[in-house]
Amino acid sequence: MTTTRSSAKYGFPAGRRLAAALLVSTVAGTALVGCGAVATGAQPAQVAGKSAGETAGDAEITWGKCPALGEGQTRSPHLACGTLKVPLDYQHPGGTKIDVAVSRLSTAEPGKRRGVLLLNPGGPALGGLDMPETMAPTLPKTVLERYDLIGFDPRGVEHSTPQSCGLNDPSVTGLFPYPATDGSITKNVALAKADAEQCADAVGKKLRYYNTANTARDMDRIRQALGEKKISYWGQSYGTYLGAVYRSLFQGHTDRMILEGNVDPTKVWADQVADTWGKGMADRFPDAARVAAAQDSTLRLGTSVAQVTHTYLTLADRLDRTPAAIPGASASLDGALLRNMTYALLLHNNTLPVLATFWKAADDLAHGSTTATDTAVLKEVFADTPTAPGIPADNQATMFMALTCGDAEWPHDVDGYATRTTADRENWPLTAGMPANIWACAFWNKPAEATVKVVKGGPRNTLILQNRRDNATPWEGGVGLHKTLGDGSVLVGVDNGGHYVYDEGSACADRTTVDFLATGHLPDKDLYCTDVVQK
């Protein structure tokens, strides 16, 4: 899994969970896919979307126990789960079927029930079965009494016919293409090509059908199976793009929609990564640097944002050249891992103090002078998280590539990636050229269909929540999505950092969100909330 809202409130996201979080939220908001050429010979997405609602013969869910969790993990007995059969390829609905795992937390009260609130935590490639349970404590009675909360694992993810390329490095962060210390991308090109070929050999062309458009069609099958004329929806990060696609394909079945931490649908996906990732990190990093500077007497990283930033960049360069062994772990801390963990810990405000102490521990480690406190911090940050049985180790990484490469075609010009990487390294030193570098998508099979065009207008039923300093899905993503949806949406911006908006200290944003879900009322105009109180 990746970091979710609940990890910020109920505990520090460690180890694999933290690293996964970083890349998932990354793509969603800094998504990695390029707006390249449209696939030829593909059925228009709108036509295929319409057909999904006309051939739902398998739309049935039998509710029962949920799948087993990893060792030591528990869930509420009130959460029910079931499986829905859907077509692998909606252009051939009578063909191969796959499973989509769905969960339900029945909270609505008779007489007050409006319907269902479908939830997606983003990613791409995050499972959502447990999202109803993690969201419920944050929602007031006025919302819970109106909706049953519905979660699901998107197609190909976790318990929904999980896909695997059999990657040697199963982590999502292993896909992040940091250039060599001299800026060369030669090794990145070789790895990107190898990953693409590995997936083509292991899974084949069927992986092309694990895209966002088909996931949206699966959502409409869930709607039908639940017996609902319309569904309300709350999507975070990549889930905002998924929601926008659903809204475009099934506008008549969309009730109230909340999109939080947003992707610009005109930049899916390569442009989203290359254009916004570096700036998002530059906008957010000073929040953590100020926390570190305030503790200079103990951390000794610098007394100002500028000094802490210089210390961090120097440390990253040192670790690029000489990785340091992590006590008690088989891995070493290099510049890429330092940057990835920094990205992950910037997603939440309450992990900024941890990030500051992690930088201090990493700096001591690089200089061979770790203390007992440093060791404890490193152990916490790199602690492992039990994985659920039956899910391939590389499932998230596989589906991360399937979605980001399968929604739109990426540029194939290797020299172009090298040129852009050089410029990106200079413009955004915190990300070291990685966002503009080459990904496996440059060597991927052509998408199965044209990229869905997110449409303007429609019912005025979408609330866009966006933090001003979001390193995963930067401010520009929310503005871009609002511009695309036009009068069908309202933008609520918040003067805050981090990837999550609701229940993160702004009464203005929380009140607007709750009022919308409970009553359907949207503000008459866009809002900018400046009342944030850090928790």
Side-chain angles (χ1 to χ4, degrees):
M1 287 182 66
T2 190
T3 302
T4 60
R5 181 187 310 281
S6 61
S7 64
K9 301 181 72 63
Y10 306 117
F12 171 68
R16 252 179 232 145
R17 180 182 302 267
L18 181 59
L22 108 124
L23 61 103
V24 172
S25 299
T26 298
V27 169
T30 0
L32 332 165
V33 179
C35 319
V38 169
T40 58
Q43 182 178 355
Q46 286 77 4
V47 175
K50 182 178 179 181
S51 70
E54 297 172 351
T55 57
D58 297 311
E60 182 178 340
I61 301 174
T62 300
W63 298 103
K65 291 184 177 181
C66 294
L69 293 169
E71 184 179 355
Q73 297 177 325
T74 61
R75 63 161 58 94
S76 168
H78 301 294
L79 189 71
C81 293
T83 300
L84 179 67
K85 294 287 185 182
V86 301
L88 172 66
D89 176 7
Y90 276 92
Q91 294 183 36
H92 298 92
T96 302
K97 298 292 194 298
I98 59 174
D99 293 334
V100 172
V102 185
S103 64
R104 179 178 65 187
L105 190 63
S106 298
T107 58
E109 296 183 8
K112 295 183 179 180
R113 185 183 189 276
R114 179 176 181 84
V116 299
L117 180 60
L118 190 65
L119 306 167
N120 180 271
L126 286 180
L129 277 189
D130 292 303
M131 195 172 177
E133 188 175 357
T134 58
M135 284 294 292
T138 74
L139 297 171
K141 183 179 179 181
T142 54
V143 173
L144 294 176
E145 66 187 9
R146 287 169 171 78
Y147 301 93
D148 292 327
L149 305 184
I150 306 297
F152 70 107
D153 287 346
R155 61 168 47 207
V157 174
E158 296 197 2
H159 302 95
S160 293
T161 310
Q163 298 300 296
S164 170
C165 291
L167 301 172
N168 292 329
D169 182 351
S171 69
V172 181
T173 50
L175 303 175
F176 285 22
Y178 286 97
T181 54
D182 62 355
S184 168
I185 71 167
T186 300
K187 290 184 178 180
N188 304 125
V189 173
L191 179 60
K193 187 175 182 180
D195 285 342
E197 291 177 346
Q198 175 69 20
C199 285
D201 291 342
V203 186
K205 290 187 176 181
K206 72 177 183 179
L207 202 57
R208 301 165 69 230
Y209 302 109
Y210 291 86
N211 58 24
T212 298
N214 280 337
T215 304
R217 295 173 186 125
D218 296 342
M219 287 168 53
D220 204 57
R221 287 296 181 92
I222 294 173
R223 175 193 65 79
Q224 295 172 60
L226 296 173
E228 302 290 337
K229 292 182 178 179
K230 294 184 176 183
I231 54 172
S232 291
Y233 175 83
W234 191 325
Q236 301 166 348
S237 198
Y238 159 81
T240 65
Y241 178 61
L242 174 60
V245 169
Y246 181 85
R247 187 182 188 277
S248 296
L249 294 181
F250 301 102
Q251 197 168 96
H253 296 309
T254 304
D255 194 14
R256 297 167 185 171
M257 180 168 283
I258 295 175
L259 305 178
E260 178 185 18
N262 299 275
V263 174
D264 184 341
T266 68
K267 292 180 176 289
V268 175
W269 285 111
D271 291 347
Q272 180 82 19
V273 178
D275 292 351
T276 68
W277 199 324
K279 185 178 185 302
M281 283 293 290
D283 289 344
R284 174 60 165 159
F285 190 89
D287 289 345
R290 276 187 284 272
V291 171
Q295 302 175 68
D296 181 64
S297 60
T298 55
L299 300 183
R300 301 191 182 282
L301 298 173
T303 60
S304 66
V305 169
Q307 288 182 4
V308 172
T309 303
H310 180 266
T311 299
Y312 175 82
L313 291 173
T314 301
L315 172 61
D317 181 72
R318 183 187 185 97
L319 291 172
D320 278 336
R321 300 174 188 282
T322 310
I326 301 171
S330 58
S332 292
L333 180 60
D334 58 11
L337 185 53
L338 173 76
R339 297 181 184 97
N340 285 341
M341 300 308 288
T342 295
Y343 173 94
L345 289 166
L346 287 173
L347 296 173
H348 298 285
N349 284 326
N350 71 340
T351 53
L352 296 186
V354 178
L355 177 56
T357 58
F358 168 63
W359 287 341
K360 193 265 185 185
D363 195 55
D364 287 349
L365 185 67
H367 289 86
S369 58
T370 52
T371 65
T373 300
D374 293 334
T375 300
V377 170
L378 293 170
K379 182 178 180 180
E380 179 184 23
V381 170
F382 292 108
D384 201 2
T385 300
T387 56
I391 299 175
D394 70 333
N395 174 241
Q396 186 184 4
T398 294
M399 287 305 304
F400 180 86
M401 289 190 289
L403 289 161
T404 55
C405 302
D407 285 343
E409 191 171 7
W410 285 55
H412 303 290
D413 177 19
V414 173
D415 290 340
Y417 284 104
T419 300
R420 288 189 293 274
T421 299
T422 297
D424 200 63
R425 282 170 64 82
E426 182 176 350
N427 293 333
W428 309 110
L430 288 170
T431 48
M434 182 273 291
N437 203 349
I438 195 166
W439 299 73
C441 302
F443 303 99
W444 209 256
N445 286 329
K446 186 179 289 293
E449 61 182 289
T451 303
V452 173
K453 180 177 176 58
V454 174
V455 298
K456 184 182 289 290
R460 193 169 182 271
N461 64 353
T462 303
L463 179 65
I464 298 174
L465 301 175
Q466 182 65 50
N467 278 337
R468 188 64 185 85
R469 300 180 307 284
D470 181 343
N471 60 297
T473 52
W475 172 259
E476 290 75 12
V479 173
L481 177 58
H482 183 36
K483 181 179 179 180
T484 299
L485 296 181
D487 293 338
S489 65
V490 168
L491 172 65
V492 175
V494 181
D495 184 18
N496 200 2
H499 194 35
Y500 301 94
V501 179
Y502 176 75
D503 199 34
E504 291 295 334
S506 171
C508 163
D510 292 353
R511 182 173 56 250
T512 303
T513 303
V514 169
D515 286 351
F516 174 53
L517 284 176
T519 70
H521 172 73
L522 280 175
D524 295 332
K525 59 182 181 180
D526 297 342
L527 299 178
Y528 190 69
C529 301
T530 59
D531 63 339
V532 175
V533 177
Q534 299 296 345
K535 297 184 177 183

